[in-house]
Structures are given as structure tokens and as C-alpha cells.
Amino acid sequence: MLTLAILLPLAAAALLAFAPLSASLSRSLAIAAAALSLVALVVVWAGFTPAAGFQAVQEAPWIPALGVAWRVGVDGISLPLALMSGLLFVAAIAWPMEREVNARQYYAWFLFLEGASLGVFLTLDLLIFYVFFDLSLVGMYFLIGRWGHGEAQRAALKFFLYTLAGSLLILLAIIALVLMVDPLTFDMRELIAMQPVAGMDLRAGLILLGFVIGFAVKTPLFPVHTWLPPAHVDAPGAASAILAGVLLKMGTYGLVRIAMQMMRETFATWALAIGIVALISILWGSIVAFAQENLKRRIAYTSVNHMGYAVLGIAVAGSAVTGHEAARDLALTGAVVEMVAHGLITGALFLIAGAFWARRQEYDLDHYGGLAGNAPRMMAAMGLASFASLGLPGLAGFVAEVQIFIGAFAVWPWLAALALLGLIVTAALFLGMLQRIFFGQRPPALNDFADLTAVEMSVMAALLVLVVLIGVWPAWLLEMIGAGALLATGGG
Amino acid sequence: MPVADLGPEIALIAGAIAALLLAMVLPQPRLGWCLAAALTALAVAALWALAQAGAARLTFSGTFALDGVTLWARAIIVVTTALCLALAPCWFASDRRHGEFYTMTLFSALGAVAMAGAADLMQLVMAVLLSSVTGYVLAVWHRDWALSVEAGMKYFLIGALANALLVIGVILLMGMTGTSDFAALKGADVSSPLALLGLALIVCGLAFKLGAVPGHAWMPDVAEGAPVPAAAFLTVVPKIGAALALYRLVHLFPETDMLRPLIAALSVLTMSLGNLAALWQTDVRRLIGWSSVSQSGYALMAVAVADLSAEALPALIWFLAAYALANVTAFAVVAHLRGRTALEDYNGLARTRPDMAAGLIVAFLSLVGIPPLIGFVGKLGLFLVTIDGGYTWLALAAVLNTVVSLFYYARVIAPMYFTARPDARPATLGRSSGAIAVLCAIALIGLGLLSGPFLAQAFGGVVLP
């Protein structure tokens, strides 16, 4: 079933790449393929037992000489992420294109990217993980470069170069890690069980450094986040939503799955350092976002801030401070919920930003004002997403952040206290943004500004209903994650 | 004399002679028929080589090794040569006399195979000379075109120097050890300064064939000026022979402290120089030439850790196969587009010739090492063995270089895919060149996914003596 969820979009992408279909037919086909892939994931979810290790496992040999095989399976971390990605892809594909050029190839690349992204979360083989990790770069490169605007080629190249450097570091670290095992295997389950670098000092530290830098580029953490703003600003809205909602999660997912689970001891040694980097990202992201006059750039920097919370949660969870098991469980659960919530919320925000571009070809906040009158539905959707993003109780962001902060306060109180400052700045920047767009004097040029269409509204509804649902009744998600089991066995 | 041991090589000679005879009797428009003779010979050579797949022995009084290295050299070289030659009839259609092209190419391929199979220093010199002499002629085939003549001259001048150094090196080594036989040389004492100098000179001589520092300067010129089928051949086939011959040499002297660091240093210099020089090229053929230099640097990574890591040989073999296929694909696309080479000629190619644009993109991404293309498996193997062999810094240097290389490949990919449709559709050469480009591009994906069985076979390969 998981294999199907990955291969279905890839097959549909291949079909779209070669068959001369019309734009509307391509669109319907793409939506259908993405939806079917989501259905396959939901079927797996239906049969999922929380906190019972890897499930729905499938295996087939690929390069036996190197111990590489096609292995897929899910646990409490990967399943929520995969479900969120599947949903967000349906939303991004169903969202209307900003510029209607080469629709067939546009949808083909989106489906290709979906297959690669789901592959990253669902595979249980380190090498296949790397394969899909790299393929997601290729897909995003072409989407930004071809359908972006402004300096799209430059932004696409910067994105590709930066993240390829990161992913190659990950590859070296993967190889170094795997070489500790005899015979060679890339099976994640075995590596988690064996803890290949336990008891080593320098070498283990260097391997961890490779993973942390590589995943930090992707997450992105300060100071290797500089590729993110141009990539977001120049990408089409739907691609931005995927970039923020799905691709960034690969960084944090890798930190949990590989750095934390496979190198428990080493990660614990360096957890505080990672936590401090996360703190800097939280503060830096929120302060810099506050200073942005460009709508999309502002949302992009809040991603740096929010992913900082997720990494903080992971660092807390991986720290081996004894006597705080409950707090660490809480922090890990919070980090996973943050990943899911950020995917839904920021995905929605970027889609709306795309709607602004589609209507006015302008991201400058000063360009807008007083839109509450013409675009009430847009205001409602953006307002809800913004409130969720700044952590209003009753919405998904709050559930995540409160758990991360409780966990962090138990382990490193001073760090958590400093990180709280980020929340205040974030609240200010979102409220300011809403105020400048929707209230005040409306420039006459905006009098014919159109509200969200029915298609756009239904996509928004699908994402935001979940944001509210996780906010008011998070039990089902928390149960699915079952962080306690993940920490106790390491294997989850 | 077990003549059958050299069956594949004899088939190449027979094919070359047959092509030459045909060239003498055929009228100009039918010179393409020589291709049939050449392809038949290559097919026979390939089948014969496969029949000897399990062999592991020295033959012809210990001058030629029948082992895993030779098997793979034969296989990769024969396939690559066939692909390059298949481009030739269209390319040379207006050439008054090109029947000899097939003969020369087959002889050159023979030289490359002999390089990889040589188990004797004198035999190695003979092979290098055969490969070089024919190579000069191939590079300068368009004798009315200044760039082609310049390429041939540069190739010849550098080659003459490098071959002289190689011969001096062989003489020094023979003089100090008293033998030219690899079996006798294995583990011999080469600690005297003169023997070490000889060894270094041999490495320099082979570096010329490999296109590595210090003998790399001909590569971009040949890529730009030689006829495209010859450029595809010369940037790939001698390199395969030389890389495997170097591997054999390092394998001979596992105790010599100097050899591995020397090769590792050459490796870093080669990949960095090739990549940096390629960065701002505005000529696609020249860019591919410099990228070929950098790829030689990657190949040297596996040579540096020969025997330090058990998988060094399969990693080298599969990397060479991946490189050969990707480079031939790129040149096949260039050939199909009638050799157009300025960067702006590629603007909007994805609209006008989507198949060729896709082929070139796949070839470049394979050279970068993007999964699941075959180039990824090749590079993965290199990283694996260099880290395993204790040369982690070399792997880090290669990573850095890979990122740099993406920049210049993207300089070609981006205008092809991102710029608007140009007014005219570029003219193409013929059906066969397009078919080869598409076929190779599919193979880059397919062989990447099906690397398993091939790697398993390469794992079993032995190195003699």
C-alpha cells in the first residue's frame, strides 16, 4: 500500500510527461492521482496500531551487494507527516495555477515531487531516503525555475546548489555511518537497533556534524537559511506551499529519524548545542520576518522561526538529561505536531499569498489595504491561518508549541524562556500584516480585487478545518504519534 | 600460444582491416557501409569477451592479464566505441573520405583495451602509443577546419611529451628492478629514488591518457575541435583504459608510501581545475571537455584507495561505465543538433526539441550524480570506498566539487528549460544520431535502477597479478 502511494504519483507524472493531454484533463488526472495516493495512505492509517513499531512494511532487493533494498514502512512520526504531505499535495495541485503556461508539465512535476516527498517519509532504507531526498530537489528546481516569477532562475539555482551541498554532506555521513556496520546494510531498523557509533568520540561527532549541517540547510536553521527567502518569493504560490509544508519537514524528519534515533548517545552529547542553534533560528526568524515589507518574504521567515521550535523540541527530546523522560516525550510529540501544524498552516498561508500574486502581481504590503470589504472570505482564511501560526489557543500551532515549551522548560528552563520571546514577535508581525492588508484606507486601484473563488475556498477549508480540529481535539493525532514508545525503544 | 585468449582483440584488428578494405572499394556515398564491418567486429569482440568472463590468468608469456579488469575494460570500451561509431555515418556524410575513420577508431579502441589488460611494462608502452597515435589522427580529421587542426596539434604535442615521460619512467623502473613483468614486479623493492621517479613518470604518462593533471590540457580542445563522434570517443575510451591501467599499477605496489598520496593529490587537482575551468565556458562542447577533466579526478579517487577498500575496483568500474554512458549521451545530443555548440543555441531547446533537451539534462544530472541515474550509483561507490579506505578528506573535496559542477551544468540546463521558445527549430543530423541519444538517455535511467546485478558481477572481479 505504501509502495502504491509512492509509485502512483510517479507513474501519473510519467504519463503526463509523455501523453499529449489538454490542460484541463492534465489537471483532473493530477488531482485524481494525488487523491488516490492520499487514499492509500489513509488505508494504511486505518490499519495502524499506535506505538507498535514500524508497520505496513514492504521489502524488495535493489542492490544486494551494498545491502540496499526497497523498504517502506511507517511509525508514529512518519505516518502523520506522510498524511499531511499527501493532503497538502492534493491542495497544492487543486489550487489554480498562477500563470496558465504548460499546464501538463506543471502538473507532471508536481506529481513527481509528490512521489519523491512521500518516498522520503515512507522509506526505511537510508540510501533510498537519500535518493528521494535528492529527487525532491530536482522537482522543486524545475518548478521554481519554470513557473516562478521575478528572478526565478537565480532563486532556483541558489536553492539547488545550497540544498545539494547539504544533501551531499548527508550522503557522506550516511556512508560513514553505514561503514561502521558489518556486513553493509542501509536498513534503518537495523541501524537504529545497532547504534553503530555508540561509544566513539571524535568520529561519531563528525558524522553527527555532517547530518546536522545537512539537515539544517534543509530545515533551514540559522545561518544556512539564506536560500529560503528568494526561493519562496520567486516560486509560484503552490510550489511555495509544498516547499514550506513538505520539503522543510524532511530536514526535521531526518534529524529525528537518523541523527536522534541512530546515534542516540552522540546526539545527547550535542543536544544543547543543537538547542542553542534552534533558539537563534527562532529569534532570528521572527525578528527578521518582522522587518519584511514583502508579504511572501515575511511568511518565509516565519518558517525559519517555526522550524526552530520543531528543532528545539527534537533537541530536548534527544537530550539524555535523566529524570525528565516525561518532558522529553512531550517535547518530541510537540515537535511532530509542530511539523504537521506548520505544514497545514504555512501551506495555507503561501497558497493565499499566491492568490494575491495571481490577482495583483505584487507582494509589497504597502500595495494593499482595506481589503476586508471586497475579500471577506480571504480575510477569514488568512486571519485563521495567521492566528494559528502565532499560536492562538484552540488552533493547531498552540498544541504543538505548548508541548515543546513545557518539555523545554523542564530540561533547559533558560533556553525556553528566551525562545518565548519569539512568540511575542511572531504575534506582532502577523497582526501587523493582517491589519495592513485588510484594514485602513483601500487604494482605489484595488476596488475590483476579487475574493477567493469556490475552488480556492474549498481547498482552504480542507486545510483549515484540520487546523481547528487538531487545535480543539488533538487526542487522535497525539495517540498516532505515541512519542513515549519512540523514545523508549528508539525504534518506534 | 593460446591465440584464442586474445580473441576479442583479434576481432577488433580484423574489423579494422575489413573496414579499410571496404573503404578502398566503396564509392563515397556508401562509405557508411564500413560501419557494418566495424559493428560486426565489435559484436564478435563483445561476445568473445563474455565467453571469457570467468577467466583469471596471465597469458602470452605473462604479458596480458585475463581478469576482471580486462573483462570490464573490454565490455565498456566495445559498447562505447560502437555508440560513437554509429554517430559517424551521418556526421561524415559530406566528407569525401571517411572510411578510414572506422579503422582508426577500432585501432584506438584496441590500444585502450590493451592498456587495461597490459601485464608488462613494455606492453603498456605499446598500448599507450597505439592509442595515442590513432587518437591524434581522429582529433584532426576535419583537416580544413582550424579548430580541429589546433586540437590535433595540441593533442599531439602534449602526447609526445607525455609518452616520452612514460617511456623514461618505464626505463628507470626496469633498470632499477631488472624486470618489466608485472608478476615479477609485484611487491618488488621500489624504494630507491630512481625507481620512485620512474613510477611517478609512468603515472604522469598515464595521466595524459586519462586527461588528468598534469596531462589534461588537450581535453577541452579535442572536445571542441575534433569531429563530434571522435570527441565522444577520445574523451571516454582512452580514459577507461588508462584508469584501469593505473589501478593495476597501484595494485602492484601496495607498500609504496608515495604512490597513493600522489594519486590523491592529482585527483583533487584534476577535479578542482576541471570544474573551475568549466564554470564560465560559453561553448557547450568545451564545457563538456572540462567536465570530462573533472570526472577523471573522481575516477582517480578509487585508484588512490585500490586494495585499501575491498570494493575499490567495482566502484571504479561502475563509475567509468556511468561516465562513459553519460558523456556519450551528451555528445550524441550535440551531434544530433549538428554540432551546435554556443550556449545561446540551446535556449528554449526543451520547446523545440524536447527529446534532445531531456537527453542532455539526464546526461548532465547523471554526471552530477543525481539519483537514481547510473551516475549516482557510480559516485556513491566512489564515496563509499574513499571513506572506507581512510581518505575522507578526498571524499569531502569531491563533494565540494560536485556542488561546483552543478553550477555549470545548470548554466546549460536552465536556458534549455526556462527560456522562451526560439523562432526556429534547430536542424538535426539524422535519425540514427537522435535514436542513439534517446537510447543512451534511457540507459542512464535504466542501468541506474538495475545496477544491482552488474555491481554484483563487478564485485567478483579479480586483479592479476
Side-chain angles (χ1 to χ4, degrees):
Chain A
M1 216 44 159
L2 293 176
T3 309
L4 189 70
I6 300 171
L7 293 186
L8 202 72
L10 289 179
L15 181 67
L16 281 179
F18 292 110
L21 303 174
S22 71
S24 61
L25 196 59
S26 307
R27 181 182 160 81
S28 321
L29 182 73
I31 295 175
L36 278 177
S37 177
L38 180 61
V39 168
L41 290 171
V42 171
V43 169
V44 172
W45 181 23
F48 183 78
T49 322
F54 288 110
Q55 295 163 45
V57 176
Q58 288 171 316
E59 273 191 83
W62 183 33
I63 309 179
L66 297 177
V68 182
W70 173 265
R71 304 179 172 100
V72 287
V74 285
D75 68 349
I77 296 175
S78 50
L79 184 59
L81 286 177
L83 283 167
M84 183 273 289
S85 307
L87 178 70
L88 200 56
F89 266 104
V90 177
I93 290 174
W95 193 258
M97 281 176 75
E98 281 171 26
R99 286 191 298 135
E100 299 266 350
V101 285
N102 281 45
R104 185 163 62 87
Q105 286 183 35
Y106 173 85
Y107 290 116
W109 279 115
F110 253 110
L111 288 172
F112 174 82
L113 190 57
E114 170 165 22
S117 305
L118 291 179
V120 170
F121 295 128
L122 297 179
T123 184
L124 292 180
D125 187 283
L126 264 187
L127 198 72
I128 310 265
F129 172 85
Y130 176 79
V131 168
F132 282 128
F133 197 87
D134 252 18
L135 282 182
S136 69
L137 306 185
V138 179
M140 194 43 97
Y141 170 74
F142 283 106
L143 274 176
I144 297 178
R146 180 72 184 85
W147 289 275
H149 32 66
E151 295 201 31
Q153 285 192 36
R154 208 184 142 83
L157 182 62
K158 191 171 183 184
F159 161 78
F160 204 173
L161 285 178
Y162 244 102
T163 44
L164 182 77
S167 72
L168 282 170
L169 269 182
I170 295 171
L171 178 64
L172 287 194
I174 288 177
I175 292 173
L177 182 72
V178 166
L179 280 173
M180 305 283 174
V181 187
D182 191 45
L184 224 53
T185 177
F186 285 87
D187 190 337
M188 287 185 178
R189 290 161 298 177
E190 278 186 47
L191 288 167
I192 291 171
M194 275 192 260
Q195 296 289 319
V197 291
M200 290 185 207
D201 297 333
L202 181 65
R203 222 174 146 173
L206 287 176
I207 295 175
L208 183 74
L209 187 68
F211 279 126
V212 170
I213 295 179
F215 288 128
V217 171
K218 190 87 175 180
T219 303
L221 292 177
F222 181 87
V224 282
H225 63 281
T226 53
W227 60 269
L228 183 83
H232 270 308
V233 171
D234 296 332
S240 272
I242 294 300
L243 179 58
V246 179
L247 265 63
L248 302 193
K249 306 301 171 297
M250 295 175 186
T252 39
Y253 173 71
L255 273 182
V256 177
R257 177 68 82 222
I258 301 176
M260 191 178 113
Q261 289 191 329
M262 293 179 195
M263 310 173 68
R264 217 172 297 143
E265 273 181 33
T266 323
F267 190 89
T269 316
W270 296 100
L272 183 57
I274 297 171
I276 289 172
V277 174
L279 171 69
I280 298 173
S281 298
I282 290 171
L283 298 178
W284 183 266
S286 59
I287 293 168
V288 176
F290 190 59
Q292 299 302 322
E293 290 298 305
N294 178 309
L295 168 64
K296 232 176 171 188
R297 215 170 242 276
R298 188 172 271 210
I299 306 174
Y301 270 107
T302 63
S303 286
V304 178
N305 162 275
H306 281 112
M307 295 314 283
Y309 293 132
V311 175
L312 178 63
I314 295 167
V316 170
S319 68
V321 181
T322 45
H324 291 299
E325 277 72 17
R328 289 167 50 206
D329 277 1
L330 211 55
L332 185 60
T333 314
V336 178
V337 178
E338 175 78 55
M339 291 190 233
V340 173
H342 177 261
L344 297 172
I345 297 167
T346 311
L349 280 174
F350 273 122
L351 287 178
I352 295 178
F356 276 104
W357 180 270
R359 285 160 178 73
R360 301 295 311 169
Q361 279 79 45
E362 186 59 71
Y363 286 136
D364 194 348
L365 287 175
D366 287 334
H367 180 81
Y368 297 102
L371 285 179
N374 328 30
R377 280 178 299 206
M378 201 167 204
M379 184 175 82
M382 192 163 188
L384 186 60
S386 299
F387 282 123
S389 191
L390 63 83
L392 195 74
L395 297 169
F398 175 76
V399 179
E401 277 150 33
V402 81
Q403 297 195 62
I404 293 172
F405 277 111
I406 294 174
F409 264 112
V411 178
W412 301 308
W414 54 275
L415 199 70
L418 285 173
L420 270 179
L421 293 176
L423 279 183
I424 300 165
V425 183
T426 318
L429 75 92
F430 272 116
L431 294 175
M433 184 174 81
L434 289 176
Q435 188 192 4
R436 288 173 66 178
I437 293 178
F438 292 107
F439 304 123
Q441 193 66 41
R442 182 167 66 218
L446 292 179
N447 281 339
D448 58 346
F449 190 90
D451 202 354
L452 293 182
T453 62
V455 175
E456 289 170 330
M457 206 53 215
S458 48
V459 170
M460 274 303 125
L463 296 178
L464 294 177
V465 161
L466 265 180
V467 171
V468 177
L469 185 65
I470 295 174
V472 294
W473 183 51
W476 57 276
L477 182 60
L478 304 185
E479 191 198 353
M480 181 176 8
I481 296 169
L486 297 173
L487 276 184
T489 63
Chain B
M1 289 273 178
V3 178
D5 282 357
L6 291 186
E9 287 72 25
I10 293 170
L12 292 183
I13 297 177
I17 294 172
L20 190 63
L21 293 176
L22 276 174
M24 289 165 71
V25 298
L26 286 174
Q28 191 266 339
R30 300 222 179 82
L31 280 180
W33 285 99
C34 300
L35 175 67
L39 287 183
T40 313
L42 287 166
V44 171
L47 290 176
W48 207 320
L50 281 184
Q52 294 175 348
R57 60 178 181 275
L58 294 172
T59 183
F60 275 80
S61 316
T63 57
F64 198 86
L66 273 187
D67 56 6
V69 177
T70 310
L71 168 72
W72 279 94
R74 282 168 168 174
I76 303 174
I77 289 172
V78 162
V79 172
T80 316
T81 308
L83 291 171
C84 296
L85 280 182
L87 294 174
C90 292
W91 183 266
F92 291 109
S94 59
D95 193 299
R96 272 180 290 112
R97 273 189 29 216
H98 79 278
E100 298 89 338
F101 182 83
Y102 305 94
T103 307
M104 281 293 166
T105 309
L106 286 181
F107 274 129
S108 197
L110 174 66
V113 174
M115 245 190 277
D120 187 289
L121 287 174
M122 299 307 286
Q123 156 81 14
L124 182 64
V125 172
M126 294 293 292
V128 170
L129 289 181
L130 176 61
S131 161
S132 301
V133 170
T134 47
Y136 309 144
V137 182
L138 291 175
V140 78
W141 203 271
H142 290 322
R143 47 203 174 283
D144 301 331
W145 190 39
L147 278 183
S148 182
V149 176
E150 183 192 335
M153 278 308 288
K154 248 189 191 166
Y155 194 21
F156 172 67
L157 288 176
I158 298 170
L161 178 65
N163 288 344
L165 293 179
L166 172 72
V167 171
I168 296 171
V170 166
I171 291 169
L172 286 177
L173 194 60
M174 271 173 68
M176 297 311 291
T177 57
T179 177
S180 67
D181 189 3
F182 277 12
L185 277 171
K186 173 110 181 124
D189 177 29
V190 285
S191 53
S192 71
L194 274 183
L196 286 178
L197 178 65
L199 215 48
L201 289 177
I202 295 175
V203 171
C204 289
L206 285 174
F208 157 70
K209 294 266 65 173
L210 190 63
V213 173
H216 63 281
W218 58 272
M219 192 73 104
D221 291 285
V222 167
E224 184 188 6
V228 173
F233 179 85
L234 289 175
T235 54
V236 172
V237 170
K239 185 177 288 187
I240 296 164
L244 292 169
L246 259 183
Y247 186 94
R248 229 185 254 285
L249 196 72
V250 176
H251 172 74
L252 274 187
F253 304 107
E255 307 298 322
T256 311
D257 299 332
M258 170 212 80
L259 204 50
R260 290 173 204 280
L262 172 71
I263 288 182
L266 288 184
S267 163
V268 173
L269 282 176
T270 308
M271 61 175 96
S272 311
L273 184 77
N275 281 326
L276 293 179
L279 278 185
W280 301 109
Q281 294 296 336
T282 51
D283 180 299
V284 172
R285 279 201 247 173
R286 234 182 138 69
L287 184 146
I288 300 175
W290 278 114
S291 108
S292 303
V293 173
S294 74
Q295 299 279 332
S296 305
Y298 302 137
L300 283 176
M301 292 165 69
V303 177
V305 293
D307 295 331
L308 287 185
S309 167
E311 292 91 21
L313 181 62
L316 176 63
I317 287 172
W318 203 236
F319 174 79
L320 289 174
Y323 161 75
L325 197 56
N327 231 37
V328 170
T329 311
F331 274 113
V333 170
V334 173
H336 188 59
L337 297 174
R338 295 186 162 264
R340 68 190 58 232
T341 191
L343 203 51
E344 53 265 35
D345 286 346
Y346 287 78
N347 284 347
L349 194 70
R351 314 269 174 288
T352 50
R353 298 273 172 206
D355 48 347
M356 288 302 110
L360 200 54
I361 289 175
V362 169
F364 281 168
L365 290 183
S366 179
L367 288 173
V368 178
I370 298 289
L373 305 171
I374 182 172
F376 163 68
V377 188
K379 250 190 192 165
L380 169 74
L382 289 186
F383 290 154
L384 197 79
V385 297
T386 30
I387 295 179
D388 193 26
Y391 277 80
T392 309
W393 62 270
L394 193 55
L396 274 173
V399 160
L400 203 65
N401 267 292
T402 304
V403 177
V404 173
S405 74
L406 176 66
F407 178 80
Y408 61 81
Y409 292 125
R411 283 186 63 226
V412 187
I413 294 176
M416 279 200 295
Y417 204 82
F418 298 150
T419 51
R421 185 191 181 95
D423 302 330
R425 211 160 172 241
T428 53
L429 198 58
R431 206 170 289 154
S432 62
S433 51
I436 288 173
V438 171
L439 188 81
C440 289
I442 293 172
L444 284 171
I445 302 170
L447 283 180
L449 292 173
L450 303 174
S451 288
F454 292 97
L455 269 181
Q457 158 69 30
F459 264 86
V462 287
V463 201
L464 294 176

